[in-house]
Every structure is written in C-alpha cells, then in structure tokens.
Amino acid sequence: MDILLEKTLHLNNKDDRSNILLSFTVPHDYDRLEISCSYTPKYITEPAAVIHAVQDCYERYLRPQDRPEQIDPAKFRLNNLLTLSLDREEHYIGAAHRQAPVQKHIISARYASPGFWKCPVKAGAWRAVINVHALAAGKVDYNIRVVGKGENEI
C-alpha cells in the first residue's frame, strides 16, 4: 500500500463555484486505487449564516421587487456540495457527484465505484478534481486520501 495523495484543504468563499486540481503521480502500476474523501460541515445551521447565504442567493437570482422582506432561517436547510472527479493523463476516469459528505471510491480494471470507468491503474500523471458546487457555509475543510494497492492487499 502506498499513499499517493493525502491533503486537507481549508476552503472559503473565494473557492465557491470552482474546481480545485490536485495532481499526483502513480509511480508504478497497481491493482487498484482507493480514494477516501470527506468534508465538513455539510449543513449550515447557524441562523446568521443561513440568512446571509439566502440573502446572497436572493440578490444573485431575484429582482429587488421579488425579494421577501424577511428571512426565517428555520425554513431553510442549506448545505455545502463538493464532489470529486478523476483524470489519468488525457483520460477522464469519472466522477462521484453525490451529496454524501463522506465517500470512498475504488478504481480498478475489474471494478469501479459508480460514476467511474473501470480501468487499469497505470503509472503516470493522475489528477483529482474537487468540484466546489456550493460553499454556503463560508468555510469548509475537505480531506482526500488516494492509496495505491496491490492485488493481495486488503
């Protein structure tokens, strides 16, 4: 087992609606890649943060005359959404565009997690792409770990 990428990202409002590229090298062929990723917080619970996020959306998407005068934060369930996609050199391997804040994915020639293509794990340049779809909380910590494993490794 070799750790090929391990990183914690501290994201903030400037990262909202962006893609963060994390390049890593696979030094030799492996049986499979195991990718673990997580982020926190998932939901925005602080009433002032909810009001701020909703006001931001209202200003962005509604005409002034269509904006409500008051915002009740209890009526909103806002969440952050960060997803993962994977490339190998010039090849798109797939994406996990799911809502779960904790995920594990496997890539191999025999099996791939839903959203990814089965493919051999070949030596070369790889890239994990963190797709920051919505960062409503203002600050999010994102963790990713990519491990290369041989055929007999658990």
Side-chain angles (χ1 to χ4, degrees):
M1 174 184 90
D2 295 317
I3 298 172
L4 306 175
L5 172 67
E6 188 164 37
K7 193 162 189 82
T8 297
L9 304 170
H10 304 289
L11 307 176
N12 59 44
N13 286 332
K14 71 175 179 55
D15 300 302
D16 190 30
R17 295 180 305 257
S18 70
N19 293 313
I20 299 168
L21 311 177
L22 301 174
S23 298
F24 63 97
T25 300
V26 174
H28 58 82
D29 295 356
Y30 289 94
D31 180 63
R32 68 188 179 282
L33 288 183
E34 293 183 1
I35 304 169
S36 302
C37 51
S38 64
Y39 64 92
T40 187
K42 174 65 178 171
Y43 297 102
I44 295 84
T45 56
E46 171 77 29
V50 171
I51 290 170
H52 177 74
V54 171
Q55 283 175 331
D56 182 51
C57 288
Y58 283 173
E59 289 171 11
R60 195 177 316 152
Y61 300 115
L62 297 179
R63 298 177 305 172
Q65 63 270 26
D66 294 333
R67 297 177 195 154
E69 289 185 26
Q70 293 199 339
I71 298 169
D72 179 0
K75 292 184 177 182
F76 294 89
R77 184 174 183 198
L78 302 181
N79 61 292
N80 296 305
L81 177 60
L82 290 83
T83 64
L84 172 75
S85 60
L86 187 66
D87 304 322
R88 182 188 77 209
E89 295 172 357
E90 300 298 319
H91 304 285
Y92 175 71
I93 306 299
H97 284 185
R98 305 190 214 342
Q99 292 284 335
V102 177
Q103 299 181 26
K104 185 171 183 177
H105 309 289
I106 296 173
I107 309 297
S108 75
R110 294 179 306 282
Y111 173 81
S113 296
F116 295 95
W117 295 100
K118 294 179 197 175
C119 72
V121 179
K122 297 285 189 188
W126 290 66
R127 184 174 67 181
V129 181
I130 313 308
N131 313 114
V132 185
H133 298 279
L135 202 140
K139 291 184 180 179
V140 169
D141 291 331
Y142 186 94
N143 298 292
I144 184 167
R145 186 175 198 230
V146 180
V147 175
K149 290 193 173 180
E151 189 172 356
N152 296 321
E153 293 181 286
I154 296 175

